[in-house]
Amino acid sequence: MRIRVKPSRRRNERITLNLASMIDVTFLLLIYFMVTTVLARQEDRLSPTIQTETENPSGESSDFQPQVVQVLLIDGEPAYQLGPRTYRQKAELRQALESLPKTAGVFIRVHNQVPVGFAVAAIQAARDAGFDQVTYVPAQ
Amino acid sequence: MRFGCSRQASRTIEIELTPMIDVVFLLIIFFMVAAQFARITRAELDLPQEKGEQEQAAEEAGLVINLLADGSIEVAQRTIGIEELLQIVQEEIDRLPSGDPRNVKLLIRADRNNDTATLNDLFNRLRSLGVGAARLATEVPR
């Protein structure tokens, strides 16, 4: 007696995966991340040193004097003063600062009543102009 | 004598996706809750629209001080006065291993429409504690 055992062959076997739920979930995730990306605002920071007007700028005399930018209100409008010149725009201030020596740093002297946005813009202009040492001085 | 194998012409294999969907929904809920917490810790402020220093290195936020548009001060979702804030800063300084006030990490989130009177007052008082620098938060423009 000959017994031949053949391996089972499945010629027309179909594997069906129900992907509908997974696609639903994937789309939900996609929508969720799109919405949260819009909500989350990217924040950064500016790190000026702080100094009061009553302090000696560096605690010792120096051959170099730091540049002083005044942030104040002129005719009710915020403005930047660098020496005798007055600037209304951050870009103008940055351009003016770029040509100055940077060894001694820059003092941003901020008067009261100026919007915070303008004071921070002055610090940003100084950083963009290449000043590593930026000092915030609250005006008395 | 015949040994026949069962033949299935068309067999359907089903993968149970229910646990995966459960886990995915749990993840969604987790991220949604985490995002809510992130928004709670950051007070809603109109920050100055500046690109900032754009340093890649991650830095510890330290004590976050929110200066709201109405001039009030908020720390850890609590509105406080300037004297109480100075106490908190002093505690932060005391907690430092070096005890050096110049090493204290402060992040000031000030509303850009607020005037600088509160910020100037805060800086003058921080300086009297010996704090040498503070970080001003900006919102990177899109």
Side-chain angles (χ1 to χ4, degrees):
Chain A
M1 189 170 75
R2 288 176 66 192
I3 300 171
R4 188 180 290 171
V5 180
K6 290 182 182 175
S8 64
R9 287 185 187 175
R10 288 167 256 175
R11 281 179 189 167
N12 298 320
E13 186 177 299
R14 281 184 187 175
I15 297 172
T16 312
L17 270 176
N18 188 6
L19 290 176
S21 330
M22 205 186 73
I23 293 164
D24 286 352
V25 169
T26 309
F27 272 105
L28 263 174
L29 276 175
L30 186 69
I31 291 164
Y32 168 74
F33 282 116
M34 281 169 72
V35 170
T36 50
T37 305
V38 171
L39 286 174
R41 294 170 185 167
Q42 195 192 343
E43 287 187 17
D44 210 301
R45 60 200 61 174
L46 288 162
S47 312
T49 51
I50 312 166
Q51 199 161 296
T52 56
E53 284 195 312
T54 51
E55 288 176 85
N56 187 2
S58 60
E60 56 189 38
S61 59
S62 168
D63 292 338
F64 300 103
Q65 287 295 312
Q67 311 296 334
V68 180
V69 176
Q70 307 267 0
V71 185
L72 70 172
L73 290 181
I74 298 175
D75 301 328
E77 291 292 318
Y80 309 108
Q81 263 187 357
L82 180 63
R85 295 196 174 170
T86 302
Y87 306 97
R88 296 278 180 188
Q89 302 294 324
K90 187 182 88 174
E92 295 171 340
L93 175 66
R94 179 194 164 170
Q95 210 171 5
L97 285 168
E98 271 173 353
S99 57
L100 298 174
K102 298 174 178 68
T103 320
V106 62
F107 279 23
I108 311 290
R109 190 168 176 270
V110 184
H111 293 247
N112 288 346
Q113 314 307 325
V114 177
V116 168
F118 279 85
V120 175
I123 299 168
Q124 182 74 65
R127 287 273 187 217
D128 292 348
F131 282 90
D132 290 328
Q133 200 183 333
V134 182
T135 306
Y136 186 107
V137 183
Q140 295 287 329
Chain B
M1 191 173 175
R2 288 178 66 188
F3 292 92
C5 296
S6 65
R7 289 187 185 180
Q8 294 159 288
S10 61
R11 198 171 69 167
T12 307
I13 296 172
E14 287 192 14
I15 292 177
E16 186 59 58
L17 288 175
T18 316
M20 197 189 77
I21 294 165
D22 287 350
V23 168
V24 168
F25 272 105
L26 268 174
L27 277 174
I28 291 173
I29 292 164
F30 168 76
F31 281 117
M32 284 171 77
V33 171
Q36 284 294 327
F37 274 120
R39 261 184 285 170
I40 287 167
T41 50
R42 283 182 179 187
E44 281 295 320
L45 287 173
D46 195 3
L47 291 175
Q49 301 277 314
E50 303 294 341
K51 65 181 180 185
E53 287 166 354
Q54 299 194 312
E55 286 185 7
Q56 297 300 316
E59 205 181 355
E60 187 194 337
L63 180 66
V64 181
I65 302 164
N66 296 295
L67 300 183
L68 308 187
D70 61 0
S72 57
I73 302 167
E74 200 183 272
V75 174
Q77 303 135 56
R78 205 161 57 87
T79 306
I80 57 171
I82 188 116
E83 297 300 332
E84 195 181 345
L85 172 64
L86 294 175
Q87 271 184 359
I88 295 168
V89 174
Q90 187 59 56
E91 284 166 16
E92 284 283 315
I93 295 167
D94 294 340
R95 232 175 278 152
L96 290 172
S98 62
D100 188 349
R102 286 173 299 182
N103 295 338
V104 72
K105 289 195 178 297
L106 303 174
L107 176 65
I108 298 170
R109 298 178 76 246
D111 194 292
R112 66 175 160 160
N113 303 312
N114 193 1
D115 68 51
T116 45
T118 315
L119 187 66
N120 283 356
D121 185 32
L122 177 63
F123 276 165
N124 277 322
R125 284 161 178 265
L126 286 174
R127 195 71 198 107
S128 66
L129 290 178
V131 176
R135 289 164 297 159
L136 288 164
T138 63
E139 187 182 315
V140 180
R142 292 205 179 98

